[in-house]
């Protein structure tokens, strides 16, 4: 509201809804049969035919009024300010012709004349003879409209004396769409609009209500040139005049593009392709249609608008962001459709505030949820970063952790500290605990760096998966590189950490296998683990025993070796017995080379 966004949304919605309704009603672009309002326009062709500038058109205007009076119209409105002084000195006989035309028009039908206001807020009182000939103050009205903050005319005010035309409203004044000005200083009582004065003399209820001009009613206006009216009258073509204006309300005004134009949201003049600045007489004619018909559009009471605002703001309540966004996406066209239906029924339901409430509430709730999710991810990363491997933790934080189980060939690495069980029997438990922690702290980053997912620590053993849950292009190469890094980290641990503290060095044996496994969640609803199951898992675990027997730090199955893109120098160890499994062909690898020494020699 502070920046007028709701007002601008309501104004744009009004324009689009008016255009849709007008198109749906399929109104003709010309005078419809039985049209009650006819415009007699002063255009360039009329001025050229009369050989007079607009400022000296009084005699021709008087002749036109006489002509119109002879055709017996229902009422005559002159949307041209009468001069505030005589012009006989410049155009002899001009004042007399205008007086005669005003008197004839007044005698033939109700007459209403536009009254102008100067820039200082003073009424421009017409020359006394003209004022008297028109019928005095009751025959005058102000052709002024409120101008919205975007410069367009959409509304009507029953007291136009408060308005200064041409001064658009500021769009930062809360819900106010226009800026009021003091009533003209010369007006002791509120003056009606020019169209309202015409409606009053034609029997419309008083006072004329405030509201929005309904631009969807009636056909486009096709004006009758004033020059033609004068020519027909002088030629004695009374029948043609009667067919054109007889029994109808006639508005006489300028249709010149450079004079008395008002920006309207729709094109109402026949021949206009796009909405824009239209002659002021067109806006008065459309308002007169409203006043003689169902009246201007009325704004719905505040209660429906407040209910709509609360309902739209409640879109932020659903906890799921996708549901919030779906409801918001449905509510915006829904709000437009509701407002459109209300306008079709003669009411204006401004829902700009409700739309802004929905957008603001959903955006704020979503921003808060994102901030809370970031805080939760940081908390989870800090709390579980040491318990889960980096790939699995990342998948969990992204919400992409695999649910259920999947099947895929992967590489597996099992590593075990040689002789550590016997070592634990003779060592202080605290020292064993410290040694294991230092060992795992040294090797874990190396495993993660090569894409490994640590399944678990089993005392002094560790199980690592390559290719689950995230896919790896060459899982066997990654596993072998991780094995080399693990051995290097262990050697560094022995030399730089354990030896200076007098702790015995540790030796690692590694088993590598490749095969089809099922990986995913395992356990119950109360306690779950992420692991892999399959023959390759069992083989990789038991290869550590083979590695100890053949005295190789790394042993692998022949299947694993065949899937290496760049295999190092390997030693074929032949068919080796494996505990609980049929014998398998196995290869050994010692980083840096060297002969193999088997337990059997």
């Amino acid at each position: 509201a502070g920046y007028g966004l709701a007002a601008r949304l309501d104004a744009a919605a009004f324009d689009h809804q008016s255009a849709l309704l007008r198109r749906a009603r399929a109104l003709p672009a010309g005078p419809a049969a039985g049209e009650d309002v006819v415009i007699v326009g002063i255009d360039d062709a009329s001025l050229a035919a009369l050989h007079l500038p607009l400022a000296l058109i009084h005699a021709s205007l008087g002749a036109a009024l006489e002509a119109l009076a002879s055709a017996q119209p229902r009422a005559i409105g002159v949307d041209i300010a009468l001069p505030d002084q005589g012009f006989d000195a410049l155009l002899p006989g001009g004042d007399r012709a205008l007086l005669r035309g005003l008197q004839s028009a007044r005698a033939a039908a109700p007459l209403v004349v536009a009254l102008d206001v100067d820039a200082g807020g003073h009424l421009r009182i017409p020359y006394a003879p003209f004022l008297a000939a028109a019928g005095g103050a009751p025959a005058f009205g102000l052709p002024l409209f409120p101008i919205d903050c975007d410069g367009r005319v959409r509304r009507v005010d029953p007291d136009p004396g408060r308005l200064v035309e041409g001064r658009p409203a500021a769009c930062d004044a809360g819900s106010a769409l226009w800026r009021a000005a003091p009533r003209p200083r010369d007006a002791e009582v509120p003056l009606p609009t020019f169209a309202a004065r015409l409606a009053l003399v034609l029997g419309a209820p008083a006072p004329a209500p405030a509201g929005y001009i309904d631009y969807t009613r009636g056909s486009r206006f096709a004006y009758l040139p004033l020059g033609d009216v004068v020519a027909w009258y002088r030629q004695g073509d009374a029948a043609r005049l009667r067919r054109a204006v007889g029994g109808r309300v006639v508005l006489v005004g300028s249709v010149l593009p450079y004079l008395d134009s008002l920006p309207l949201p729709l094109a109402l003049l026949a021949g206009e392709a796009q909405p824009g600045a239209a002659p002021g007489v067109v806006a008065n004619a459309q308002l007169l249609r409203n006043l003689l018909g169902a009246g201007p559009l009325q704004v719905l009471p505040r209660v429906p608008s407040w209910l709509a605002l609360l309902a739209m703001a409640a879109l932020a309540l659903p906890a799921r962001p996708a549901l919030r966004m779906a409801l918001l996406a449905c509510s915006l066209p829904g709000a437009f459709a509701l407002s459109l239906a209300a306008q079709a029924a003669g009411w204006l339901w401004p829902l700009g505030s409700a739309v802004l409430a929905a957008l603001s509430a959903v955006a704020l709730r979503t921003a808060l949820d994102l901030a809370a999710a970031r805080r939760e991810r940081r908390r989870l990363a800090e709390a579980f970063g040491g318990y889960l491997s980096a790939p699995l933790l990342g998948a969990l934080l992204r919400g992409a952790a695999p649910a259920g189980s999947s099947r895929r060939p992967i590489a597996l690495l099992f590593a075990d500290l040689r002789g550590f069980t016997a070592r634990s029997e003779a060592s202080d438990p605290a020292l064993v605990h410290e040694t294991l922690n230092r060992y795992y702290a040294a090797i874990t980053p190396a495993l993660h760096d090569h894409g490994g997912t640590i399944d678990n620590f089993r005392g002094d053993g560790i199980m690592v998966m390559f290719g689950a849950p995230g896919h790896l292009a060459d899982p066997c190469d990654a596993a072998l590189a991780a094995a080399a890094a693990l051995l290097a980290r262990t050697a560094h641990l022995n030399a730089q950490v354990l030896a200076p503290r007098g702790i015995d060095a540790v030796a690692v044996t590694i088993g590598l296998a490749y095969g089809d496994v099922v990986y995913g969640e395992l356990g119950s609803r109360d306690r779950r683990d992420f692991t892999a199951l399959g023959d390759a898992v069992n083989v990789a675990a038991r290869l550590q025993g083979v590695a100890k027997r053949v005295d190789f730090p790394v042993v692998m199955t022949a299947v694993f070796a065949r899937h290496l893109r760049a295999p190092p120098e390997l030693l074929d160890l032949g068919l080796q017995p494996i505990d609980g499994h049929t014998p398998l062909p196995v290869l050994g690898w010692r980083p840096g080379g060297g002969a193999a020494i088997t337990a059997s020699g």
Side-chain angles (χ1 to χ4, degrees), residues 417 435 438-450 481-498 505-508 510 591:
L417 294 180
T435 303
R438 290 181 178 276
Y439 164 67
Y440 285 133
I443 68 171
T444 297
L447 298 173
H448 287 168
D449 289 345
H450 291 87
L486 190 155
L487 293 174
R489 292 290 183 95
T490 304
H492 182 272
L493 173 70
N494 289 330
Q496 302 296 325
V497 179
L498 300 184
V506 295
V508 182
I510 299 173

Side-chain angles (χ1 to χ4, degrees), residues 9 27 71 134 148 169 204 243 257 341 361 369 372 398 403 462 570 576 599:
L9 283 177
L27 298 170
D148 289 348
R243 285 195 305 269
D369 286 352
R398 294 192 306 272
I462 185 172
L570 301 174
Q576 291 288 334

Side-chain angles (χ1 to χ4, degrees), residues 17 33 36 51 69 123 129 142 146 238 294 317 356 365 394 396 420 426 442 457 542 548 572 576:
Q17 289 162 3
D36 286 338
H51 306 290
L123 293 175
L142 286 169
L317 295 179
L356 287 179
R365 173 68 188 274
L396 287 171
F420 202 81
F457 297 118
R542 286 163 175 76
K548 294 175 184 177
D572 187 357
Q576 291 288 334

